[in-house]
Structure formats: structure tokens, C-alpha cells
Amino acid sequence: IGRDPDLALITKFIKSAIHEGITARGLLLTGISGIGKSAIAVKLTQGQLTELKSNCLASHICSAQFPDSLSVTNFIMSISNA
């Protein structure tokens, strides 16, 4: 399933925030399982959206298949080691 419409919407949102001077540094993707959050996160974190001209300094992906990924402690450790 293509993610281009979702990526275009996220890109538009981020560009708009930058244009308006919003300095937030985070993005939270949520939704039901199987809709492609991980695919979008990979494109964002691997710099595949070069038109945003930004870098991802840290990322963390949670998965119900890996209960340790849901731990708040592991989340903090994951992003602090970046």
C-alpha cells in the first residue's frame, strides 16, 4: 500500500510549522496496527524526505510484538543514546 498521500500530508504539516516559526522538535505517529506507521517512521528517520532538509537525531519504534519496546525506560534509553 502506498504511503505517498500520508507522507505528503506530514511533509506539508512540518513545512507549515517551520514557516510559522514553530520550534517543536517531535512527531508522534499513532494509529491502529497495520496502517503503516513503521513505514512512515522509516522514511522520516532515514532522511528519505530530503525536501524537509532536517535530520532525525533520535527515534524509537514501539511494537506490541516486542513488549520491551513499550517500556518507558527503554524509550528514554533509546532516544538518549542517539
Side-chain angles (χ1 to χ4, degrees), residues 61-74:
I61 297 177
C62 297
S63 172
Q65 296 173 336
F66 303 99
D68 285 348
S69 71
L70 304 175
S71 158
V72 173
T73 302
N74 287 343

Side-chain angles (χ1 to χ4, degrees), residues 3-17 27 29 40 44 49 51-52:
R3 307 287 179 239
D4 291 341
D6 298 322
L7 291 169
L9 185 61
I10 291 169
T11 301
K12 181 180 177 183
F13 171 77
I14 293 171
K15 284 182 176 181
S16 175
L27 176 67
L29 297 175
I40 291 171
L44 289 170
L49 299 178
E51 65 272 14
L52 295 178

